Amino acid sequence: MHDHIALPDWNSLARLDDESLPLLGTALLIARDEYPDLDAGQYEALVQGHAAGMRDEIDATGHWALKIQAINRHLFEELGYAGDHDQYYDPRNSYLNEVFERRRGNPISLALVQMEVARRLGVPLDGVSFPGHFLVRLPVDDGVLVMDPFNRGRPLDIDELRQRARPHLGGDAPDDEALSQILNPASNRAILMRVLRNLHGVYSDGDDWERATRSADRLLKLSPNDADALRDRGLGYLRIGHNSGARADLARYLQLNPRAPDAMTVRAHLVDLGGAGRVN
């Protein structure tokens, strides 16, 4: 039996600043929505165990780049963590307990495992909210080493990063300044919100509106004024027949974002809901 570690409380998260927001604890909290019996202590102990098993080697290794190379070798070769290339959109790839159990994940969940283990070993690995696939970064000498956790932590050079960003930037490759902006470290809140957005996308694509709505609701626990999450929860409420919730969220979305590209559609929903009078 593991010591029971207290997970954070959903209702406390909005008040925490980005860095006080616990990354592993909140990721396990997200998983507990789907797996109510999840034992958080078990996974906390697993991460500690992963780190303990490589501590001597990492401490004896001098350079940051060599330290992360050794961490990646342990995680991706010895422990067998790998990107789920076959079922990329399987929701289990976003739930950290499943990632630990199956040793399979999507880019952001594998980055999370990699970051948690590295940070416990004193290696300052950060996440990067790169367009498309989530990446990780480590400061080295006069620059930054960028790696792809979905492909065993493979380092990416500047040309490949430019090519990867291009389709998400309207076909243009980013210049140096734009690229360094994109490569800024992601805050804990930004990482956790991206996990929830991925889940919302998977569930809404599969018409699982209960779970899609839950994902949007959890986004709002992290960031109460996130306009997209308000719209998504409102549209989810509409699908599951919670009309008063839908009306409140969609009206607030238009209040926050009156010139939104989908404002017409949202207004039409409000008219159907009999809530048009609230939007001026």
Side-chain angles (χ1 to χ4, degrees):
M1 186 62 205
H2 297 279
D3 289 344
H4 182 72
I5 64 159
L7 287 180
D9 171 64
W10 276 115
N11 294 319
S12 69
L13 299 180
R15 294 192 298 276
L16 295 177
D17 65 43
D18 287 354
E19 296 319 317
S20 321
L21 199 60
L23 192 56
L24 182 64
T26 311
L28 289 169
L29 195 61
I30 291 168
R32 203 176 60 184
D33 277 340
E34 188 63 22
Y35 302 89
D37 300 329
L38 176 147
D39 172 8
Q42 177 188 343
Y43 300 110
E44 180 70 48
L46 187 72
V47 173
Q48 297 283 15
H50 285 352
M54 47 182 111
R55 180 160 277 115
D56 290 349
E57 184 188 348
I58 302 307
D59 286 350
T61 304
H63 196 277
W64 287 131
L66 295 174
K67 284 182 193 275
I68 197 66
Q69 214 177 347
I71 291 171
N72 288 343
R73 190 176 64 248
H74 282 291
L75 284 177
F76 300 118
E77 290 173 32
E78 290 165 24
L79 294 170
Y81 284 94
D84 191 345
H85 291 263
D86 299 332
Q87 293 179 288
Y88 187 83
Y89 294 105
D90 186 325
R92 291 179 299 177
N93 291 327
S94 287
Y95 291 123
L96 219 51
N97 59 320
E98 288 280 10
V99 176
F100 286 131
E101 298 287 348
R102 300 166 64 234
R103 307 274 159 106
R104 289 285 172 280
N106 58 22
I108 196 164
S109 60
L110 292 169
L112 236 148
V113 173
Q114 203 185 5
M115 286 160 62
E116 286 293 321
V117 171
R119 287 170 175 186
R120 279 171 173 73
L121 292 164
V123 177
L125 193 65
D126 276 314
V128 175
S129 251
F130 204 78
H133 275 190
F134 196 84
L135 302 172
V136 293
R137 53 170 276 163
L138 182 72
V140 284
D141 302 334
D142 54 350
V144 63
L145 176 64
V146 180
M147 291 159 286
D148 178 359
F150 195 63
N151 292 295
R152 298 177 153 213
R154 183 170 75 77
L156 303 172
D157 67 24
I158 196 151
D159 291 333
E160 186 169 354
L161 288 166
R162 281 213 173 86
Q163 290 312 317
R164 282 186 175 213
R166 184 192 287 270
H168 303 279
L169 301 173
D172 298 324
D175 61 21
D176 288 353
E177 197 178 334
L179 191 60
S180 83
Q181 282 288 306
I182 295 171
L183 292 174
N184 274 337
S187 69
N188 289 354
R189 181 173 265 103
I191 293 170
L192 293 159
M193 289 180 72
R194 185 155 166 168
V195 170
L196 285 163
R197 283 201 189 95
N198 287 343
L199 281 167
H200 177 269
V202 165
Y203 287 134
S204 51
D205 287 349
D207 290 331
D208 185 342
W209 293 106
E210 293 281 349
R211 286 184 172 88
T213 306
R214 178 182 75 198
S215 305
D217 179 65
R218 293 320 197 186
L219 274 161
L220 290 163
K221 296 286 192 202
L222 288 171
S223 180
N225 292 317
D226 187 277
D228 288 353
L230 271 165
R231 176 201 58 208
D232 292 343
R233 187 176 69 177
L235 294 173
Y237 281 156
L238 194 61
R239 297 283 191 142
I240 60 182
H242 176 22
N243 288 353
S244 60
R247 198 158 42 229
D249 281 353
L250 296 177
R252 183 145 164 65
Y253 171 68
L254 288 177
Q255 211 178 356
L256 288 170
N257 208 351
R259 292 190 182 74
D262 56 359
M264 294 283 288
T265 318
V266 172
R267 279 203 182 85
H269 284 307
L270 274 168
V271 171
D272 290 345
L273 286 162
R278 295 184 181 205
V279 182
N280 39 30

